[in-house]
Amino acid sequence: MENEEKILDAALEEFSVHGFRGATIDRIAQHAGMSKPNLLYYFRRKQDIYEALIARLLDTWLEPLRELDAGGDPLPELQSYIRRKLEMARDFPRESRLFANEILQGAPRIKRLLESELKPLVDEKAEVLKGWMNAGKINLVDPRHLIFSIWSTTQHYADFDAQVQVILGPDRGAEGRFEDAARYLEKLFLDGLRPETTEGETPRIRHP
């Protein structure tokens, strides 16, 4: 298990820099500090390493969405979700780039994982969002597109971080950029989802 973890950690660096096609078993073995025959004892093919890495990555990537609690208060739940996604963008930029590169290529090596792991979870959480909408707790929007929007805006800070830092400049492009982003995205999403109310009235759904 320890050697498998060393291989996967080395593979993450190799794949995130060179992509699947450009990565080599030899360089992964070198980064892992082991011989190529030793590496091939644990993983027979580059494809096997890649699939194991993506499966681990996807499990980590989906954890914030799994934590969205149907029994919780919708706006704080969504606020926490946005925060967790930004924390992942901050802490796991290589994983984000690797996943994004695979999707940009049409997900040729992970489509099965997307169908078996990602889609059922999104379907489940879309029903949670719809339940909140039907109860008048948040405005009525397309729940899947809401999830997509949170994904894309938070992941931007991982995949395009170099651009973000240059544009924000030295004063705003330091570590605090993630907190600034969190506050902005919270206002963007939560204000847009919060039902409008007038004194003495129940929340009204604002239809798209």
PDB file of all heavy atoms in Angstrom, residues 121-157:
ATOM      1  N   LEU A 121     -24.614  10.946  -7.900  1.00  0.00           N
ATOM      2  CA  LEU A 121     -24.510  11.906  -6.806  1.00  0.00           C
ATOM      3  C   LEU A 121     -25.133  13.245  -7.193  1.00  0.00           C
ATOM      4  O   LEU A 121     -25.850  13.859  -6.392  1.00  0.00           O
ATOM      5  CB  LEU A 121     -23.047  12.097  -6.406  1.00  0.00           C
ATOM      6  CG  LEU A 121     -22.796  13.076  -5.257  1.00  0.00           C
ATOM      7  CD1 LEU A 121     -23.491  12.627  -3.985  1.00  0.00           C
ATOM      8  CD2 LEU A 121     -21.300  13.261  -5.027  1.00  0.00           C
ATOM      9  N   VAL A 122     -24.855  13.702  -8.408  1.00  0.00           N
ATOM     10  CA  VAL A 122     -25.447  14.966  -8.860  1.00  0.00           C
ATOM     11  C   VAL A 122     -26.963  14.845  -8.923  1.00  0.00           C
ATOM     12  O   VAL A 122     -27.694  15.755  -8.511  1.00  0.00           O
ATOM     13  CB  VAL A 122     -24.865  15.386 -10.219  1.00  0.00           C
ATOM     14  CG1 VAL A 122     -25.640  16.588 -10.788  1.00  0.00           C
ATOM     15  CG2 VAL A 122     -23.391  15.742 -10.078  1.00  0.00           C
ATOM     16  N   ASP A 123     -27.458  13.708  -9.418  1.00  0.00           N
ATOM     17  CA  ASP A 123     -28.914  13.491  -9.460  1.00  0.00           C
ATOM     18  C   ASP A 123     -29.516  13.562  -8.050  1.00  0.00           C
ATOM     19  O   ASP A 123     -30.568  14.176  -7.836  1.00  0.00           O
ATOM     20  CB  ASP A 123     -29.237  12.131 -10.079  1.00  0.00           C
ATOM     21  CG  ASP A 123     -28.966  12.088 -11.582  1.00  0.00           C
ATOM     22  OD1 ASP A 123     -28.820  13.166 -12.193  1.00  0.00           O
ATOM     23  OD2 ASP A 123     -28.910  10.971 -12.137  1.00  0.00           O
ATOM     24  N   GLU A 124     -28.838  12.940  -7.099  1.00  0.00           N
ATOM     25  CA  GLU A 124     -29.319  12.944  -5.713  1.00  0.00           C
ATOM     26  C   GLU A 124     -29.357  14.362  -5.137  1.00  0.00           C
ATOM     27  O   GLU A 124     -30.360  14.772  -4.521  1.00  0.00           O
ATOM     28  CB  GLU A 124     -28.403  12.059  -4.857  1.00  0.00           C
ATOM     29  CG  GLU A 124     -28.709  12.093  -3.374  1.00  0.00           C
ATOM     30  CD  GLU A 124     -27.612  11.441  -2.536  1.00  0.00           C
ATOM     31  OE1 GLU A 124     -26.877  10.585  -3.066  1.00  0.00           O
ATOM     32  OE2 GLU A 124     -27.492  11.809  -1.355  1.00  0.00           O
ATOM     33  N   LYS A 125     -28.277  15.120  -5.341  1.00  0.00           N
ATOM     34  CA  LYS A 125     -28.218  16.462  -4.762  1.00  0.00           C
ATOM     35  C   LYS A 125     -29.112  17.436  -5.523  1.00  0.00           C
ATOM     36  O   LYS A 125     -29.589  18.423  -4.938  1.00  0.00           O
ATOM     37  CB  LYS A 125     -26.775  16.957  -4.720  1.00  0.00           C
ATOM     38  CG  LYS A 125     -25.862  16.110  -3.840  1.00  0.00           C
ATOM     39  CD  LYS A 125     -26.415  15.952  -2.420  1.00  0.00           C
ATOM     40  CE  LYS A 125     -25.503  15.102  -1.546  1.00  0.00           C
ATOM     41  NZ  LYS A 125     -26.019  14.960  -0.165  1.00  0.00           N
ATOM     42  N   ALA A 126     -29.355  17.171  -6.800  1.00  0.00           N
ATOM     43  CA  ALA A 126     -30.307  17.999  -7.539  1.00  0.00           C
ATOM     44  C   ALA A 126     -31.696  17.864  -6.929  1.00  0.00           C
ATOM     45  O   ALA A 126     -32.457  18.845  -6.855  1.00  0.00           O
ATOM     46  CB  ALA A 126     -30.320  17.603  -9.016  1.00  0.00           C
ATOM     47  N   GLU A 127     -32.037  16.660  -6.477  1.00  0.00           N
ATOM     48  CA  GLU A 127     -33.331  16.459  -5.818  1.00  0.00           C
ATOM     49  C   GLU A 127     -33.390  17.194  -4.484  1.00  0.00           C
ATOM     50  O   GLU A 127     -34.442  17.707  -4.088  1.00  0.00           O
ATOM     51  CB  GLU A 127     -33.592  14.964  -5.618  1.00  0.00           C
ATOM     52  CG  GLU A 127     -33.875  14.207  -6.899  1.00  0.00           C
ATOM     53  CD  GLU A 127     -35.078  14.766  -7.655  1.00  0.00           C
ATOM     54  OE1 GLU A 127     -36.120  14.997  -7.005  1.00  0.00           O
ATOM     55  OE2 GLU A 127     -34.956  14.993  -8.875  1.00  0.00           O
ATOM     56  N   VAL A 128     -32.259  17.253  -3.777  1.00  0.00           N
ATOM     57  CA  VAL A 128     -32.201  18.022  -2.530  1.00  0.00           C
ATOM     58  C   VAL A 128     -32.481  19.501  -2.817  1.00  0.00           C
ATOM     59  O   VAL A 128     -33.292  20.146  -2.140  1.00  0.00           O
ATOM     60  CB  VAL A 128     -30.822  17.867  -1.854  1.00  0.00           C
ATOM     61  CG1 VAL A 128     -30.672  18.850  -0.693  1.00  0.00           C
ATOM     62  CG2 VAL A 128     -30.631  16.435  -1.364  1.00  0.00           C
ATOM     63  N   LEU A 129     -31.833  20.032  -3.843  1.00  0.00           N
ATOM     64  CA  LEU A 129     -32.031  21.431  -4.208  1.00  0.00           C
ATOM     65  C   LEU A 129     -33.474  21.690  -4.628  1.00  0.00           C
ATOM     66  O   LEU A 129     -34.080  22.700  -4.248  1.00  0.00           O
ATOM     67  CB  LEU A 129     -31.071  21.815  -5.335  1.00  0.00           C
ATOM     68  CG  LEU A 129     -29.582  21.841  -4.966  1.00  0.00           C
ATOM     69  CD1 LEU A 129     -28.724  21.952  -6.206  1.00  0.00           C
ATOM     70  CD2 LEU A 129     -29.269  22.977  -4.006  1.00  0.00           C
ATOM     71  N   LYS A 130     -34.029  20.779  -5.414  1.00  0.00           N
ATOM     72  CA  LYS A 130     -35.422  20.925  -5.839  1.00  0.00           C
ATOM     73  C   LYS A 130     -36.363  20.911  -4.646  1.00  0.00           C
ATOM     74  O   LYS A 130     -37.361  21.645  -4.610  1.00  0.00           O
ATOM     75  CB  LYS A 130     -35.779  19.817  -6.834  1.00  0.00           C
ATOM     76  CG  LYS A 130     -35.197  20.037  -8.212  1.00  0.00           C
ATOM     77  CD  LYS A 130     -35.277  18.805  -9.080  1.00  0.00           C
ATOM     78  CE  LYS A 130     -36.691  18.364  -9.366  1.00  0.00           C
ATOM     79  NZ  LYS A 130     -36.711  17.199 -10.303  1.00  0.00           N
ATOM     80  N   GLY A 131     -36.061  20.082  -3.651  1.00  0.00           N
ATOM     81  CA  GLY A 131     -36.883  20.048  -2.443  1.00  0.00           C
ATOM     82  C   GLY A 131     -36.869  21.384  -1.725  1.00  0.00           C
ATOM     83  O   GLY A 131     -37.920  21.867  -1.260  1.00  0.00           O
ATOM     84  N   TRP A 132     -35.696  22.005  -1.624  1.00  0.00           N
ATOM     85  CA  TRP A 132     -35.604  23.328  -1.003  1.00  0.00           C
ATOM     86  C   TRP A 132     -36.378  24.364  -1.811  1.00  0.00           C
ATOM     87  O   TRP A 132     -37.030  25.242  -1.250  1.00  0.00           O
ATOM     88  CB  TRP A 132     -34.138  23.743  -0.882  1.00  0.00           C
ATOM     89  CG  TRP A 132     -33.379  22.982   0.154  1.00  0.00           C
ATOM     90  CD1 TRP A 132     -33.886  22.319   1.234  1.00  0.00           C
ATOM     91  CD2 TRP A 132     -31.953  22.816   0.224  1.00  0.00           C
ATOM     92  NE1 TRP A 132     -32.877  21.752   1.974  1.00  0.00           N
ATOM     93  CE2 TRP A 132     -31.676  22.033   1.384  1.00  0.00           C
ATOM     94  CE3 TRP A 132     -30.886  23.240  -0.557  1.00  0.00           C
ATOM     95  CZ2 TRP A 132     -30.386  21.683   1.751  1.00  0.00           C
ATOM     96  CZ3 TRP A 132     -29.593  22.892  -0.195  1.00  0.00           C
ATOM     97  CH2 TRP A 132     -29.345  22.120   0.944  1.00  0.00           C
ATOM     98  N   MET A 133     -36.281  24.261  -3.132  1.00  0.00           N
ATOM     99  CA  MET A 133     -37.005  25.206  -3.990  1.00  0.00           C
ATOM    100  C   MET A 133     -38.509  25.035  -3.840  1.00  0.00           C
ATOM    101  O   MET A 133     -39.257  26.016  -3.711  1.00  0.00           O
ATOM    102  CB  MET A 133     -36.588  24.996  -5.452  1.00  0.00           C
ATOM    103  CG  MET A 133     -35.149  25.360  -5.750  1.00  0.00           C
ATOM    104  SD  MET A 133     -34.661  24.834  -7.412  1.00  0.00           S
ATOM    105  CE  MET A 133     -32.871  24.878  -7.275  1.00  0.00           C
ATOM    106  N   ASN A 134     -38.974  23.812  -3.848  1.00  0.00           N
ATOM    107  CA  ASN A 134     -40.412  23.558  -3.732  1.00  0.00           C
ATOM    108  C   ASN A 134     -40.961  24.000  -2.383  1.00  0.00           C
ATOM    109  O   ASN A 134     -42.141  24.332  -2.261  1.00  0.00           O
ATOM    110  CB  ASN A 134     -40.710  22.074  -3.954  1.00  0.00           C
ATOM    111  CG  ASN A 134     -40.470  21.632  -5.394  1.00  0.00           C
ATOM    112  OD1 ASN A 134     -40.516  22.452  -6.307  1.00  0.00           O
ATOM    113  ND2 ASN A 134     -40.200  20.350  -5.590  1.00  0.00           N
ATOM    114  N   ALA A 135     -40.088  24.005  -1.370  1.00  0.00           N
ATOM    115  CA  ALA A 135     -40.504  24.458  -0.041  1.00  0.00           C
ATOM    116  C   ALA A 135     -40.410  25.977   0.106  1.00  0.00           C
ATOM    117  O   ALA A 135     -40.728  26.515   1.172  1.00  0.00           O
ATOM    118  CB  ALA A 135     -39.649  23.777   1.031  1.00  0.00           C
ATOM    119  N   GLY A 136     -39.979  26.656  -0.944  1.00  0.00           N
ATOM    120  CA  GLY A 136     -39.863  28.112  -0.899  1.00  0.00           C
ATOM    121  C   GLY A 136     -38.649  28.612  -0.150  1.00  0.00           C
ATOM    122  O   GLY A 136     -38.569  29.784   0.190  1.00  0.00           O
ATOM    123  N   LYS A 137     -37.674  27.733   0.105  1.00  0.00           N
ATOM    124  CA  LYS A 137     -36.506  28.127   0.897  1.00  0.00           C
ATOM    125  C   LYS A 137     -35.438  28.808   0.055  1.00  0.00           C
ATOM    126  O   LYS A 137     -34.626  29.588   0.574  1.00  0.00           O
ATOM    127  CB  LYS A 137     -35.925  26.909   1.612  1.00  0.00           C
ATOM    128  CG  LYS A 137     -36.869  26.313   2.646  1.00  0.00           C
ATOM    129  CD  LYS A 137     -36.236  25.097   3.314  1.00  0.00           C
ATOM    130  CE  LYS A 137     -37.157  24.535   4.397  1.00  0.00           C
ATOM    131  NZ  LYS A 137     -36.561  23.340   5.052  1.00  0.00           N
ATOM    132  N   ILE A 138     -35.380  28.487  -1.237  1.00  0.00           N
ATOM    133  CA  ILE A 138     -34.491  29.168  -2.171  1.00  0.00           C
ATOM    134  C   ILE A 138     -35.253  29.378  -3.472  1.00  0.00           C
ATOM    135  O   ILE A 138     -36.251  28.698  -3.741  1.00  0.00           O
ATOM    136  CB  ILE A 138     -33.171  28.398  -2.442  1.00  0.00           C
ATOM    137  CG1 ILE A 138     -33.446  26.987  -2.974  1.00  0.00           C
ATOM    138  CG2 ILE A 138     -32.296  28.353  -1.212  1.00  0.00           C
ATOM    139  CD1 ILE A 138     -32.179  26.228  -3.380  1.00  0.00           C
ATOM    140  N   ASN A 139     -34.774  30.316  -4.276  1.00  0.00           N
ATOM    141  CA  ASN A 139     -35.431  30.610  -5.537  1.00  0.00           C
ATOM    142  C   ASN A 139     -35.343  29.428  -6.497  1.00  0.00           C
ATOM    143  O   ASN A 139     -34.422  28.606  -6.424  1.00  0.00           O
ATOM    144  CB  ASN A 139     -34.808  31.843  -6.187  1.00  0.00           C
ATOM    145  CG  ASN A 139     -35.242  33.124  -5.506  1.00  0.00           C
ATOM    146  OD1 ASN A 139     -36.361  33.234  -5.023  1.00  0.00           O
ATOM    147  ND2 ASN A 139     -34.339  34.097  -5.442  1.00  0.00           N
ATOM    148  N   LEU A 140     -36.278  29.397  -7.407  1.00  0.00           N
ATOM    149  CA  LEU A 140     -36.356  28.319  -8.378  1.00  0.00           C
ATOM    150  C   LEU A 140     -35.369  28.558  -9.522  1.00  0.00           C
ATOM    151  O   LEU A 140     -35.473  29.546 -10.260  1.00  0.00           O
ATOM    152  CB  LEU A 140     -37.782  28.219  -8.935  1.00  0.00           C
ATOM    153  CG  LEU A 140     -38.032  27.106  -9.960  1.00  0.00           C
ATOM    154  CD1 LEU A 140     -37.815  25.743  -9.316  1.00  0.00           C
ATOM    155  CD2 LEU A 140     -39.451  27.206 -10.514  1.00  0.00           C
ATOM    156  N   VAL A 141     -34.395  27.670  -9.628  1.00  0.00           N
ATOM    157  CA  VAL A 141     -33.436  27.678 -10.737  1.00  0.00           C
ATOM    158  C   VAL A 141     -33.227  26.228 -11.160  1.00  0.00           C
ATOM    159  O   VAL A 141     -33.698  25.311 -10.494  1.00  0.00           O
ATOM    160  CB  VAL A 141     -32.074  28.309 -10.332  1.00  0.00           C
ATOM    161  CG1 VAL A 141     -32.241  29.775  -9.950  1.00  0.00           C
ATOM    162  CG2 VAL A 141     -31.430  27.528  -9.184  1.00  0.00           C
ATOM    163  N   ASP A 142     -32.524  26.035 -12.252  1.00  0.00           N
ATOM    164  CA  ASP A 142     -32.198  24.672 -12.662  1.00  0.00           C
ATOM    165  C   ASP A 142     -31.135  24.130 -11.698  1.00  0.00           C
ATOM    166  O   ASP A 142     -30.028  24.670 -11.632  1.00  0.00           O
ATOM    167  CB  ASP A 142     -31.668  24.658 -14.096  1.00  0.00           C
ATOM    168  CG  ASP A 142     -31.452  23.249 -14.628  1.00  0.00           C
ATOM    169  OD1 ASP A 142     -30.649  22.495 -14.016  1.00  0.00           O
ATOM    170  OD2 ASP A 142     -32.071  22.889 -15.640  1.00  0.00           O
ATOM    171  N   PRO A 143     -31.422  23.065 -10.939  1.00  0.00           N
ATOM    172  CA  PRO A 143     -30.479  22.625  -9.899  1.00  0.00           C
ATOM    173  C   PRO A 143     -29.157  22.112 -10.458  1.00  0.00           C
ATOM    174  O   PRO A 143     -28.103  22.345  -9.843  1.00  0.00           O
ATOM    175  CB  PRO A 143     -31.244  21.518  -9.169  1.00  0.00           C
ATOM    176  CG  PRO A 143     -32.276  21.046 -10.130  1.00  0.00           C
ATOM    177  CD  PRO A 143     -32.653  22.254 -10.940  1.00  0.00           C
ATOM    178  N   ARG A 144     -29.192  21.445 -11.596  1.00  0.00           N
ATOM    179  CA  ARG A 144     -27.935  20.930 -12.155  1.00  0.00           C
ATOM    180  C   ARG A 144     -27.058  22.065 -12.663  1.00  0.00           C
ATOM    181  O   ARG A 144     -25.843  22.043 -12.480  1.00  0.00           O
ATOM    182  CB  ARG A 144     -28.228  19.905 -13.247  1.00  0.00           C
ATOM    183  CG  ARG A 144     -28.761  18.589 -12.687  1.00  0.00           C
ATOM    184  CD  ARG A 144     -29.219  17.629 -13.778  1.00  0.00           C
ATOM    185  NE  ARG A 144     -29.682  16.369 -13.200  1.00  0.00           N
ATOM    186  CZ  ARG A 144     -30.889  16.194 -12.653  1.00  0.00           C
ATOM    187  NH1 ARG A 144     -31.763  17.210 -12.638  1.00  0.00           N
ATOM    188  NH2 ARG A 144     -31.237  15.024 -12.145  1.00  0.00           N
ATOM    189  N   HIS A 145     -27.681  23.060 -13.288  1.00  0.00           N
ATOM    190  CA  HIS A 145     -26.884  24.197 -13.751  1.00  0.00           C
ATOM    191  C   HIS A 145     -26.349  25.012 -12.573  1.00  0.00           C
ATOM    192  O   HIS A 145     -25.267  25.612 -12.673  1.00  0.00           O
ATOM    193  CB  HIS A 145     -27.700  25.069 -14.702  1.00  0.00           C
ATOM    194  CG  HIS A 145     -27.832  24.483 -16.071  1.00  0.00           C
ATOM    195  ND1 HIS A 145     -26.759  24.380 -16.938  1.00  0.00           N
ATOM    196  CD2 HIS A 145     -28.890  23.938 -16.713  1.00  0.00           C
ATOM    197  CE1 HIS A 145     -27.164  23.815 -18.064  1.00  0.00           C
ATOM    198  NE2 HIS A 145     -28.453  23.529 -17.953  1.00  0.00           N
ATOM    199  N   LEU A 146     -27.058  25.012 -11.474  1.00  0.00           N
ATOM    200  CA  LEU A 146     -26.531  25.655 -10.269  1.00  0.00           C
ATOM    201  C   LEU A 146     -25.265  24.945  -9.799  1.00  0.00           C
ATOM    202  O   LEU A 146     -24.255  25.587  -9.478  1.00  0.00           O
ATOM    203  CB  LEU A 146     -27.584  25.652  -9.159  1.00  0.00           C
ATOM    204  CG  LEU A 146     -27.132  26.165  -7.785  1.00  0.00           C
ATOM    205  CD1 LEU A 146     -26.643  27.604  -7.865  1.00  0.00           C
ATOM    206  CD2 LEU A 146     -28.263  26.033  -6.768  1.00  0.00           C
ATOM    207  N   ILE A 147     -25.307  23.623  -9.775  1.00  0.00           N
ATOM    208  CA  ILE A 147     -24.125  22.845  -9.387  1.00  0.00           C
ATOM    209  C   ILE A 147     -22.982  23.107 -10.361  1.00  0.00           C
ATOM    210  O   ILE A 147     -21.834  23.322  -9.960  1.00  0.00           O
ATOM    211  CB  ILE A 147     -24.465  21.349  -9.319  1.00  0.00           C
ATOM    212  CG1 ILE A 147     -25.442  21.079  -8.161  1.00  0.00           C
ATOM    213  CG2 ILE A 147     -23.194  20.508  -9.141  1.00  0.00           C
ATOM    214  CD1 ILE A 147     -25.998  19.670  -8.130  1.00  0.00           C
ATOM    215  N   PHE A 148     -23.278  23.101 -11.674  1.00  0.00           N
ATOM    216  CA  PHE A 148     -22.243  23.384 -12.673  1.00  0.00           C
ATOM    217  C   PHE A 148     -21.609  24.754 -12.426  1.00  0.00           C
ATOM    218  O   PHE A 148     -20.383  24.911 -12.540  1.00  0.00           O
ATOM    219  CB  PHE A 148     -22.838  23.381 -14.095  1.00  0.00           C
ATOM    220  CG  PHE A 148     -23.374  22.057 -14.556  1.00  0.00           C
ATOM    221  CD1 PHE A 148     -24.302  22.022 -15.599  1.00  0.00           C
ATOM    222  CD2 PHE A 148     -22.973  20.865 -13.984  1.00  0.00           C
ATOM    223  CE1 PHE A 148     -24.816  20.810 -16.047  1.00  0.00           C
ATOM    224  CE2 PHE A 148     -23.484  19.650 -14.421  1.00  0.00           C
ATOM    225  CZ  PHE A 148     -24.414  19.625 -15.460  1.00  0.00           C
ATOM    226  N   SER A 149     -22.449  25.741 -12.121  1.00  0.00           N
ATOM    227  CA  SER A 149     -21.948  27.101 -11.936  1.00  0.00           C
ATOM    228  C   SER A 149     -21.010  27.193 -10.736  1.00  0.00           C
ATOM    229  O   SER A 149     -19.980  27.870 -10.797  1.00  0.00           O
ATOM    230  CB  SER A 149     -23.118  28.075 -11.756  1.00  0.00           C
ATOM    231  OG  SER A 149     -23.917  28.121 -12.918  1.00  0.00           O
ATOM    232  N   ILE A 150     -21.367  26.525  -9.659  1.00  0.00           N
ATOM    233  CA  ILE A 150     -20.488  26.530  -8.482  1.00  0.00           C
ATOM    234  C   ILE A 150     -19.188  25.809  -8.801  1.00  0.00           C
ATOM    235  O   ILE A 150     -18.094  26.271  -8.424  1.00  0.00           O
ATOM    236  CB  ILE A 150     -21.202  25.902  -7.267  1.00  0.00           C
ATOM    237  CG1 ILE A 150     -22.389  26.785  -6.843  1.00  0.00           C
ATOM    238  CG2 ILE A 150     -20.223  25.734  -6.100  1.00  0.00           C
ATOM    239  CD1 ILE A 150     -23.255  26.181  -5.766  1.00  0.00           C
ATOM    240  N   TRP A 151     -19.273  24.689  -9.513  1.00  0.00           N
ATOM    241  CA  TRP A 151     -18.055  23.987  -9.919  1.00  0.00           C
ATOM    242  C   TRP A 151     -17.134  24.897 -10.721  1.00  0.00           C
ATOM    243  O   TRP A 151     -15.945  25.020 -10.441  1.00  0.00           O
ATOM    244  CB  TRP A 151     -18.401  22.775 -10.791  1.00  0.00           C
ATOM    245  CG  TRP A 151     -18.924  21.599 -10.048  1.00  0.00           C
ATOM    246  CD1 TRP A 151     -18.976  21.402  -8.699  1.00  0.00           C
ATOM    247  CD2 TRP A 151     -19.506  20.429 -10.640  1.00  0.00           C
ATOM    248  NE1 TRP A 151     -19.551  20.200  -8.417  1.00  0.00           N
ATOM    249  CE2 TRP A 151     -19.883  19.577  -9.579  1.00  0.00           C
ATOM    250  CE3 TRP A 151     -19.744  20.032 -11.953  1.00  0.00           C
ATOM    251  CZ2 TRP A 151     -20.475  18.339  -9.800  1.00  0.00           C
ATOM    252  CZ3 TRP A 151     -20.340  18.801 -12.170  1.00  0.00           C
ATOM    253  CH2 TRP A 151     -20.697  17.970 -11.107  1.00  0.00           C
ATOM    254  N   SER A 152     -17.691  25.523 -11.760  1.00  0.00           N
ATOM    255  CA  SER A 152     -16.847  26.272 -12.687  1.00  0.00           C
ATOM    256  C   SER A 152     -16.228  27.501 -12.033  1.00  0.00           C
ATOM    257  O   SER A 152     -15.048  27.798 -12.253  1.00  0.00           O
ATOM    258  CB  SER A 152     -17.644  26.676 -13.930  1.00  0.00           C
ATOM    259  OG  SER A 152     -18.740  27.501 -13.594  1.00  0.00           O
ATOM    260  N   THR A 153     -17.003  28.216 -11.218  1.00  0.00           N
ATOM    261  CA  THR A 153     -16.461  29.429 -10.610  1.00  0.00           C
ATOM    262  C   THR A 153     -15.416  29.120  -9.546  1.00  0.00           C
ATOM    263  O   THR A 153     -14.404  29.818  -9.442  1.00  0.00           O
ATOM    264  CB  THR A 153     -17.583  30.292 -10.005  1.00  0.00           C
ATOM    265  OG1 THR A 153     -18.413  29.481  -9.155  1.00  0.00           O
ATOM    266  CG2 THR A 153     -18.438  30.913 -11.088  1.00  0.00           C
ATOM    267  N   THR A 154     -15.628  28.075  -8.766  1.00  0.00           N
ATOM    268  CA  THR A 154     -14.638  27.749  -7.726  1.00  0.00           C
ATOM    269  C   THR A 154     -13.391  27.114  -8.342  1.00  0.00           C
ATOM    270  O   THR A 154     -12.265  27.425  -7.930  1.00  0.00           O
ATOM    271  CB  THR A 154     -15.242  26.802  -6.675  1.00  0.00           C
ATOM    272  OG1 THR A 154     -15.809  25.654  -7.325  1.00  0.00           O
ATOM    273  CG2 THR A 154     -16.315  27.505  -5.867  1.00  0.00           C
ATOM    274  N   GLN A 155     -13.564  26.249  -9.325  1.00  0.00           N
ATOM    275  CA  GLN A 155     -12.408  25.571  -9.915  1.00  0.00           C
ATOM    276  C   GLN A 155     -11.533  26.530 -10.711  1.00  0.00           C
ATOM    277  O   GLN A 155     -10.345  26.278 -10.914  1.00  0.00           O
ATOM    278  CB  GLN A 155     -12.875  24.415 -10.806  1.00  0.00           C
ATOM    279  CG  GLN A 155     -11.748  23.458 -11.177  1.00  0.00           C
ATOM    280  CD  GLN A 155     -12.269  22.119 -11.700  1.00  0.00           C
ATOM    281  OE1 GLN A 155     -13.360  21.670 -11.342  1.00  0.00           O
ATOM    282  NE2 GLN A 155     -11.496  21.497 -12.558  1.00  0.00           N
ATOM    283  N   HIS A 156     -12.097  27.627 -11.149  1.00  0.00           N
ATOM    284  CA  HIS A 156     -11.317  28.649 -11.863  1.00  0.00           C
ATOM    285  C   HIS A 156     -10.089  29.059 -11.061  1.00  0.00           C
ATOM    286  O   HIS A 156      -9.013  29.309 -11.625  1.00  0.00           O
ATOM    287  CB  HIS A 156     -12.202  29.868 -12.131  1.00  0.00           C
ATOM    288  CG  HIS A 156     -11.483  31.014 -12.772  1.00  0.00           C
ATOM    289  ND1 HIS A 156     -11.349  31.147 -14.137  1.00  0.00           N
ATOM    290  CD2 HIS A 156     -10.836  32.089 -12.228  1.00  0.00           C
ATOM    291  CE1 HIS A 156     -10.668  32.240 -14.412  1.00  0.00           C
ATOM    292  NE2 HIS A 156     -10.344  32.828 -13.276  1.00  0.00           N
ATOM    293  N   TYR A 157     -10.244  29.114  -9.742  1.00  0.00           N
ATOM    294  CA  TYR A 157      -9.152  29.593  -8.898  1.00  0.00           C
ATOM    295  C   TYR A 157      -8.039  28.564  -8.745  1.00  0.00           C
ATOM    296  O   TYR A 157      -6.963  28.889  -8.232  1.00  0.00           O
ATOM    297  CB  TYR A 157      -9.700  30.028  -7.540  1.00  0.00           C
ATOM    298  CG  TYR A 157     -10.565  31.262  -7.665  1.00  0.00           C
ATOM    299  CD1 TYR A 157     -11.930  31.151  -7.876  1.00  0.00           C
ATOM    300  CD2 TYR A 157      -9.994  32.531  -7.637  1.00  0.00           C
ATOM    301  CE1 TYR A 157     -12.727  32.288  -8.034  1.00  0.00           C
ATOM    302  CE2 TYR A 157     -10.777  33.661  -7.787  1.00  0.00           C
ATOM    303  CZ  TYR A 157     -12.143  33.532  -7.992  1.00  0.00           C
ATOM    304  OH  TYR A 157     -12.919  34.659  -8.169  1.00  0.00           O
TER     305      TYR A 157
END
